[in-house]
Amino acid sequence: MRAHMEKSQNEQRQLEERLRQAHKMEAVGRLAAAWRTISTICSRSSGHSDLLIDREGSDNFHRRCVEQIQKAAGRAVSMTRQLLAFSRMQVLQPA
């Protein structure tokens, strides 16, 4: 009888742990979805900044500003890849 109760308690703890883990992964998945949206916005910003550089020509001040936009967008995309890989528990290959 005692062994049966201990087994039930162990099974209960294991189920609770699995549920906690599932909740954590669900939260990470939601966060990853939000980052995917941000990544899409950054990709569009990067594309538009390419157009601005072509349009602005050699104006150094504006060109540097637009290049900063491109760098920030690139960092955001990289962070998104890392977060998505984490949510899937994948190992990233260098880009």
Side-chain angles (χ1 to χ4, degrees):
M1 176 87 154
R2 180 180 167 115
H4 177 69
M5 287 179 61
E6 287 178 8
K7 182 179 177 185
S8 290
Q9 289 174 344
N10 284 339
E11 288 174 352
Q12 179 71 23
R13 277 190 232 111
Q14 288 174 351
L15 287 173
E16 289 172 355
E17 180 58 31
R18 287 174 56 192
L19 181 60
R20 275 193 294 276
Q21 193 66 20
H23 283 199
K24 288 178 188 177
M25 292 310 294
E26 180 183 3
V28 170
R30 287 182 182 181
L31 186 58
W35 272 102
R36 182 172 284 162
T37 301
I38 292 169
S39 177
T40 300
I41 293 168
C42 289
S43 293
R44 289 180 182 169
S45 297
S46 182
H48 288 296
S49 64
D50 288 338
L51 295 174
L52 279 173
I53 285 178
D54 291 344
R55 182 175 172 203
E56 290 299 321
S58 62
D59 181 351
N60 285 335
F61 174 75
H62 287 110
R63 183 180 196 87
R64 285 194 310 271
C65 291
V66 173
E67 287 171 348
Q68 289 300 315
I69 292 170
Q70 288 178 320
K71 286 179 185 177
R75 286 191 303 270
V77 169
S78 176
M79 288 174 54
T80 302
R81 283 186 68 237
Q82 293 173 23
L83 183 60
L84 290 171
F86 174 77
S87 72
R88 295 184 203 116
M89 298 300 206
Q90 293 178 343
V91 176
L92 276 178
Q93 298 299 322

